[in-house]
Amino acid sequence: QSVLTQPPSVSGAPGQTITIFCTGSSSNIGAGYDVHWYKQLPRTAPKLLLYGTNKRPSGVPDRFSGTKSGTSASLAITGLQAEDEADYYCQAYDSSLSGSVFGGGTKLTVL
Amino acid sequence: QVQLAQSGTEVRKPGASVKISCQASGYTFTTYYMQWVRQAPGHGLEWMGMINPQIGSTAYSQAFRGRVTLTSDTSTSTVYLQLSSLRSEDTAVYYCGRSPYGDYVLDWGQGTLVSVSS
């Protein structure tokens, strides 16, 4: 059971917008710690997608955006493309564990 | 460009230890933390710990405390992860990752498969 909870799967048609939620608690997201998001293709290392809740590293298109409210964060992908099909993970620091934690991951299927 | 080159596949028996390496290049080694994350087959990412290569300070996940040791060698820009008392559940791909402030991972190694089987 992950400290950060993500839905196991989401899906959407090309061109649509999907949102992946990451639910935490008062010791991580609710405590004000930043949330980071990663994209992972099969059999490859994860890739940083968003850091500091809503900042995009160089090369990440602005179709990807992040928000945070209370004990939850979300990743939104607009204009869904086939290449977006992957697993997505959230990460945040947890003060009660004195370490970083990941969400369980969400598999995005582009229909 | 930044590269994190990890050592190759390791096969161990239960109860043994393993030490894997992550050699960094393309940036100033001592100015970034290094995180370690593992992924068991068919499972998600699991944070293991991190090290500040400049001063050698470490932080470990409670799930691995007592079994994991992170070290760094600034002369070779290499970080090491040692995991002891291996069990079958430790079979996973282990990733190192460059981290600006010890929070997010900016760049990842290619991963090292550790297989634990009797």
Side-chain angles (χ1 to χ4, degrees):
Chain A
Q1 194 78 346
S2 302
V3 173
L4 302 179
T5 301
Q6 297 180 234
S9 63
V10 297
S11 62
Q16 286 188 332
T17 297
I18 66 96
T19 302
I20 298 173
F21 289 92
C22 173
T23 302
S25 67
S26 58
S27 61
N28 42 67
I29 299 174
Y33 293 108
D34 281 332
V35 179
H36 320 294
W37 292 90
Y38 303 89
K39 172 184 177 180
Q40 186 180 33
L41 296 170
R43 295 174 296 282
T44 67
K47 170 192 167 185
L48 181 65
L49 201 59
L50 296 174
Y51 65 97
T53 300
N54 57 10
K55 301 178 183 61
R56 289 185 305 275
S58 172
V60 174
D62 58 8
R63 299 189 296 108
F64 296 87
S65 62
T67 61
K68 188 176 70 167
S69 178
T71 58
S72 291
S74 64
L75 164 69
I77 308 175
T78 61
L80 211 54
Q81 299 178 4
E83 66 205 46
D84 298 331
E85 189 162 288
D87 293 325
Y88 292 83
Y89 294 89
C90 58
Q91 179 194 25
Y93 179 79
D94 188 286
S95 58
S96 66
L97 298 175
S98 299
S100 191
V101 290
F102 283 95
T106 299
K107 182 176 182 58
L108 169 60
T109 299
V110 180
L111 303 170
Chain B
Q1 73 281 21
V2 172
Q3 284 193 321
L4 301 175
Q6 298 186 225
S7 49
T9 297
E10 300 276 6
V11 179
R12 294 286 187 276
K13 293 191 183 305
S17 296
V18 69
K19 189 172 185 177
I20 58 181
S21 66
C22 170
Q23 185 171 34
S25 61
Y27 70 96
T28 303
F29 178 65
T30 53
T31 58
Y32 289 81
Y33 290 80
M34 196 73 78
Q35 297 192 28
W36 285 88
V37 175
R38 77 175 186 180
Q39 186 170 35
H43 287 74
L45 303 175
E46 183 176 23
W47 187 79
M48 299 184 70
M50 67 179 179
I51 184 168
N52 179 330
Q54 183 171 38
I55 59 176
S57 62
T58 55
Y60 299 120
S61 165
Q62 293 178 3
F64 300 97
R65 212 156 286 172
R67 289 207 301 141
V68 66
T69 304
L70 299 180
T71 55
S72 65
D73 182 346
T74 56
S75 68
T76 61
S77 298
T78 302
V79 172
Y80 298 92
L81 176 146
Q82 180 165 338
L83 188 61
S84 61
S85 302
L86 290 168
R87 34 208 188 227
S88 59
E89 310 89 88
D90 293 319
T91 293
V93 175
Y94 290 73
Y95 294 103
C96 62
R98 182 174 77 126
S99 182
Y101 307 105
D103 46 6
Y104 60 90
V105 176
L106 186 55
D107 302 288
W108 297 76
Q110 83 275 21
T112 296
L113 174 63
V114 174
S115 179
V116 183
S117 174
S118 55

